Amino acid sequence: MSFAPYLLSSLTLAFLFYLFIPGLGAFLVRHRWRRFRAQVVRSISFPELHYGGFRETGSFRFKGRLEAVQGDDLVWLEEEGLSVGVSLRDVPIYLIPGSGTGSDSSRGFPDETPKVVYWREISALAQGTRFYVAGHVREEAGGIVFRGSEVHDPLVIIYDGPEHTFLKRTIWTGRQRNEYWNHLTLPALTGGFLAQLVVAVISVSESRLAALVATVLALVPILPLVPPGVAGYYLYRRLWRSARRRRAIRDVVRLRDVDLPGRTGRSVWMLELIAVLFLLAGIWANGYGIAVILALTVFRP
């Protein structure tokens, strides 16, 4: 087999494992957090549940403190004399961090992504833990209970920090820090590394150049982390963090029904594009250097 088929195999595998699979994960993650933010914003329009305010089944929102746990998945919240039950069976629970104090925080908001857990994963909660719940409410055995329907689960948030910044903090943090690094990224990078090594081993006896290319592509996952390409990785992280902050500011401003100019969204996309270009430049610089070293040593004719 000549050089071209091996090269095509290496490039195809690189695209599949380094771009397509992590990119698919990034799309799914961004969609999930966009849906979460939309759910939070939609919940604002629900009437607030208060003592004597429940008349019939419908959608409500409620803030309360943990009062008791009943059975396997029913918790009771209390606020101003009103006790409300929440069924947590198979319902995602979002843990919103308090105010940020680190160098990456802005306007006192944390530079963190909310953790998503399920009730069966929580071993214990202190009495008085604060909840925000929004969704379908109905009366059961004389009590008022939030319970999911076949279409929608209730929105359940456990939070800390000042009450007056709860909504802004929820919208601010409700996004992935870096969508490219998701649940599919590590398996994909590992698979790409192993697949390229297989191509290198198979092709080395027929085409040293093809084996060289496959070896360099196998090292792509670690290339951004070593000098001099690490400078590109550093700039990538800074610019991506800045783009994330701009998106968060845009979403918080929209809570006030203020429409930002269309160029704001374009500037964020441009910032992310520049960040990716810096990352690729770092990978290219390191990859070229390693290719030269390997060509003069391991793969020398």
Side-chain angles (χ1 to χ4, degrees), residues 217-282:
L217 289 176
L219 299 176
V220 163
I222 63 171
L223 288 181
L225 306 179
V226 295
V230 69
Y233 177 69
Y234 172 77
L235 292 172
Y236 159 77
R237 291 196 61 180
R238 282 187 62 89
L239 291 175
W240 197 273
R241 187 183 301 119
S242 178
R244 180 180 186 269
R245 186 177 296 114
R246 291 190 185 189
R247 288 183 183 275
I249 292 173
R250 177 198 62 190
D251 291 339
V252 169
V253 169
R254 283 178 176 173
L255 288 176
R256 306 170 186 172
D257 293 327
V258 177
D259 289 329
L260 296 177
R263 63 177 180 273
T264 302
R266 291 194 296 271
S267 67
V268 173
W269 279 103
M270 185 62 66
L271 199 60
E272 291 180 343
L273 177 60
I274 295 173
V276 171
L277 291 177
F278 273 119
L279 177 64
L280 293 177

Side-chain angles (χ1 to χ4, degrees), residues 18-93:
Y18 298 155
L19 292 177
F20 179 77
I21 295 178
L24 176 62
F27 173 80
L28 295 175
V29 165
R30 182 164 286 191
H31 174 72
R32 182 183 70 177
W33 286 113
R34 185 183 294 117
R35 185 175 57 185
F36 166 74
R37 296 192 303 272
Q39 194 175 5
V40 172
V41 172
R42 186 172 62 250
S43 73
I44 301 173
S45 64
F46 296 166
E48 189 170 1
L49 193 60
H50 55 83
Y51 189 81
F54 179 75
R55 293 290 183 271
E56 58 183 14
T57 298
S59 295
F60 292 86
R61 57 189 169 96
F62 180 75
K63 277 185 179 181
R65 295 178 179 271
L66 180 63
E67 182 181 28
V69 178
Q70 178 181 339
D72 294 331
D73 50 36
L74 184 65
V75 300
W76 288 93
L77 311 178
E78 188 275 334
E79 188 70 17
E80 297 182 353
L82 175 64
S83 291
V84 175
V86 184
S87 175
L88 298 177
R89 180 184 296 272
D90 298 326
V91 174
I93 303 172

Side-chain angles (χ1 to χ4, degrees), residues 163-229:
E163 287 282 353
H164 68 279
T165 63
F166 160 73
L167 184 59
K168 292 181 180 179
R169 280 187 290 114
T170 301
I171 296 297
W172 181 277
T173 60
R175 62 188 68 248
Q176 189 85 349
R177 295 186 68 179
N178 189 327
E179 291 86 352
Y180 184 79
W181 189 259
N182 53 71
H183 60 290
L184 297 180
T185 302
L186 185 58
L189 296 182
T190 304
F193 169 76
L194 296 176
Q196 296 292 353
L197 286 184
V198 170
V199 174
V201 171
I202 294 175
S203 63
V204 67
S205 60
E206 300 184 39
S207 173
R208 288 180 176 269
L209 181 57
L212 172 62
V213 172
T215 302
V216 173
L217 289 176
L219 299 176
V220 163
I222 63 171
L223 288 181
L225 306 179
V226 295

